[in-house]
Structures are given as structure tokens and as C-alpha cells.
DNA sequence: ATTTAATATTGACCGTGGTCATTTTTGATT
DNA sequence: AATCAAAAATGACCACGGTCAATATTAAAT
């Protein structure tokens, strides 16, 4: 029996979330301080941690929301058929994922669910990314010697690699898009 | 002119490093506390930060050292020729990289140099990993439609992906080795 | 041996995430 | 309306990474 959630609870939670969103809007994710959020929401610090396990849990919600919106956008257009089209279609997603170093690090850290029961918002988004890409690949003219699931996992791996290198001074000669295109050409349409 | 480093300095640094190593040996990287290290080394907290920019800088040194030793081991044997042999040869490296969640996260975070001038110990190890694998691939019977540099980057991307999934409950059905083998077979010896 | 400027060390202090015993509020029962 | 147990909120407190003005030590010059 897990009942009796008071109306107050959802109101407080909403106050915390909108206060947090306001902070992020004005100063970015990296700058968010729990103390600022609770002050803006008009509640005590302890209340924050009654609603979210830790600061990261709030971040997961905020970032997961935005990432889901980006994935909506990616899914909205006509399914891409070529490598270039796939990269274009995923651009909003990748752009948000690399919008802040802090965001990227957090995404990577929570990309996998630590326990089956609690798959977090970010792990869910990674699953969704995988699924979306897989469906595109199934319908596109790509190599057929390996299953589309594997191809999609590879796209994810290469996208993460390319995004990592975006933050790396040593490899800044090549742009993110060019690098990802090189990777995916070699992965999705080999000619050996 | 950047001279006049006192003998005291290297002695203090050595004390800090060996104290830190002792903590890691007994409790792991994750459990390391700066306060414990300085207490064991018999110096003040401020001294620690005169020697290392932050806690992560110390961690980079400790982890980089171990990782380099693993890479030594990987390079010691006869160069692997097949996918399976490559996976076996890299096993000590991957094993250490996933020995602790904390270690893996830190490795990813510092895998790229943020500025050309200061390439850290971990970024150096990633470069070395890349170079070692590339040399192996050059001499092995792999696909020839893409340059070995690209192949090696891909191996790194897939290894990271496989290691990430090791920490993920959702994907624990497949073992790390099996997954990496599937990836690398598809990447290094496509049959389309 | 003294002086002295550069270098190293110190530890009180701060920022910020997170805890928990105590107090307040809620809403169902009478 | 009064009661009361469960649920929510509170804020003083802690842990721990990191700072910096003050102090101590070194080693070269005299």
C-alpha cells in the first residue's frame, strides 16, 4: 500500500522544478546550486532532498526532458536514408548533448541503468536514441551482414566518440560532423 | 627562468604520492579522501593543493601510472593478429579501466586533453592505446578500405561502449568480452 | 655569519552537497 | 469539532574539496 501522497507534495515538487529550470535558463546546468534552487522555490534545503535523491537526480530529470524534446524533433521529419541524412537528423540531439561539458559528462555517467528496476530518464533517452536509429537503419540501404541492432549500437558508440573529441583540443582540427561522417561511412557502408 | 625547486618539495610530493598509493591499495580509488592523504603524509591540507591542482590531478597521476603499466603488459607479448587475440592482449587494460566505476568515469572525463599544452597522464594513455592498436592492425589481416588510424579509433570507441555496458544492469546478459568480439568482428572484418 | 628574496608550508576558513532528529501539516476517523 | 497517525517540511549540522593571507624554510649573495 503506497498511497496518501498529499496535494502539497506535488505543489512543492513543481515549485522546485520550475525554480531549477529558471536557474538553468539563465546560467546553464553547470551553474545550478541546490541552495539557489531552494531559495527561489521558498523551501528548506532538506525538502529538496525529500523530493530528489541527490542533485544529479534533479539534473537527470531536467536534462532528460530536454533530450527527449530533441529526440521528438529527430523523429518528426521523414526518416533519413543516408549517412548524411542521419547525421543531419540527429544534429539537434548531438548539439544539446555537447552544449555543456557538464551536461555531456552527466549524460555519459547515467547512460546505463544501474539497476533494472530504476531506469532513469537519461538511460531511457539512450535506449530511445538506439531504437530510433535502429528503425532508420532497417529501412535504409546499409550493410546487411550484421543486424540493425548492432549497427545502431555502433552509431551510438561512434557518436559518443565524436562528441568526446569535440571537447578535446588535440583533435579540434576535424569538426564533429566531418568526423562522425567518416566513422559512419566506414561503419555502415564498408566496401571491402 | 623557472628554477630553484627545493629538495624539500620533491620529498613532500613523494610523501603525498606514497600516502595516496597506500590509501588506494587498501580501500580503492573511490574511497580516497584528501584529508586522509595529508594526515598520512604528515602535512597540512594546503600543502596538498600546492602540489596538485585538485584531487583529480592526483587521481590522474595514480591511475595513469597503473594504466601505463597495463599498456606495457599489452605491448610485451607478440603482436596479436586476430580479433580474439587483440581482445586477449587488451584484457589487462580493459580490466583495470573497469575495476571501479569511479575509475572508469574519471578516465572518460580526462580522456581528451583540454588544452594542447597540458596533455594529462590519462589523455596520454588514450593516445598510447590508440597508437598500440593501430600498429597491431597495420600488421594484421583486417579490412583495407579504411586507414588503420580510423580502425584504431573505432576499436577505442567500441571498447568504451562495451565497458560502459558492463556497468549497466540492462545489458548484463552479454559479457564484456562477447560484446566486444561482436563489435570488432563487424568493424574490422566486414563481409558485405 | 647575516641578510634576504624566493619558495614552501600552514591551518583557519569557505562553498556546497547531503543528513536527520524535530516540528508542522494533512486528512481520515470518531 | 476534536483526535491522531502518517506524511511532509524544517534547519542546524556534517563531510569534504578547495582557498589564501600569514608564517616558516631554504639557499644564494654578501
Amino acid at each position: 500500500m503506497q498511497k496518501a501522497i498529499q496535494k502539497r507534495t506535488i505543489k512543492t515538487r513543481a515549485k522546485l522544478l520550475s525554480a531549477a529550470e529558471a536557474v538553468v535558463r539563465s546560467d546553464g546546468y553547470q551553474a545550478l546550486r541546490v541552495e539557489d534552487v531552494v531559495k527561489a522555490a521558498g523551501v528548506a534545503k532538506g525538502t529538496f532532498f525529500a523530493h530528489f535523491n541527490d542533485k544529479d537526480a534533479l539534473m537527470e530529470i531536467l536534462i532528460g526532458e530536454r533530450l527527449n524534446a530533441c529526440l521528438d524533433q529527430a523523429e518528426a521529419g521523414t526518416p533519413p536514408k543516408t549517412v548524411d541524412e542521419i547525421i543531419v537528423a540527429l544534429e539537434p540531439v548531438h548539439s544539446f548533448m555537447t552544449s555543456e561539458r557538464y551536461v555531456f559528462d552527466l549524460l555519459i555517467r547515467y547512460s546505463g541503468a544501474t539497476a533494472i528496476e530504476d531506469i532513469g530518464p537519461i538511460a531511457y533517452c539512450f535506449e530511445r536514441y538506439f531504437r530510433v536509429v535502429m528503425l532508420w537503419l532497417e529501412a535504409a540501404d546499409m550493410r546487411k551482414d550484421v543486424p540493425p541492432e548492432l549497427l545502431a549500437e555502433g552509431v551510438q558508440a561512434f557518436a559518443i566518440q565524436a562528441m568526446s573529441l569535440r571537447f578535446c583540443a588535440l583533435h579540434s582540427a576535424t569538426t564533429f560532423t566531418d568526423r562522425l561522417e567518416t566513422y559512419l561511412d566506414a561503419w555502415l557502408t564498408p566496401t571491402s
Side-chain angles (χ1 to χ4, degrees), chain A residues 18-31:
Chain A
S18 75
E21 278 158 10
V23 170
V24 169
R25 253 196 312 278
S26 75
D27 298 329
Y29 292 92
Q30 156 87 344

Side-chain angles (χ1 to χ4, degrees), chain A residues 29-172:
Chain A
Y29 292 92
Q30 156 87 344
L32 186 140
R33 298 285 169 271
V34 172
E35 302 206 1
D36 294 343
V37 172
V38 297
K39 199 192 294 177
V43 302
K45 202 188 218 172
T47 303
F48 180 95
F49 293 99
H51 285 262
F52 309 101
N53 274 336
D54 51 24
K55 180 179 162 178
D56 282 357
L58 168 68
M59 284 306 189
E60 269 210 272
I61 292 169
L62 297 180
I63 292 174
E65 223 159 61
R66 283 279 304 269
L67 195 52
N68 257 315
C70 295
L71 285 163
D72 289 343
Q73 200 179 332
E75 273 195 310
T78 56
K81 291 276 181 187
T82 67
V83 165
D84 298 86
E85 286 173 6
I86 287 173
I87 291 172
V88 169
L90 288 173
E91 195 278 331
V93 179
H94 295 150
S95 175
F96 173 63
M97 289 178 81
T98 53
S99 60
E100 282 182 48
R101 181 73 215 237
Y102 175 82
V103 169
F104 183 69
D105 286 343
L106 196 131
L107 283 169
I108 297 299
R109 198 144 23 104
Y110 290 99
S111 60
T114 24
I116 300 201
E117 56 269 25
D118 62 9
I119 178 171
I122 289 177
Y124 170 81
C125 285
F126 272 77
E127 277 287 314
R128 189 178 166 199
Y129 181 110
F130 161 77
R131 219 173 331 110
V132 167
V133 170
M134 195 197 68
L135 292 175
W136 287 344
L137 293 175
E138 261 180 345
D141 183 34
M142 301 298 170
R143 63 192 286 199
K144 299 297 177 198
D145 61 323
V146 296
E149 292 83 22
L150 180 55
L151 289 185
E153 278 186 59
V155 169
Q156 207 166 42
F158 281 119
I160 289 170
Q161 170 102 338
M163 286 189 277
S164 282
L165 294 178
R166 249 192 74 150
F167 293 110
C168 172
L170 283 182
H171 298 79
S172 53

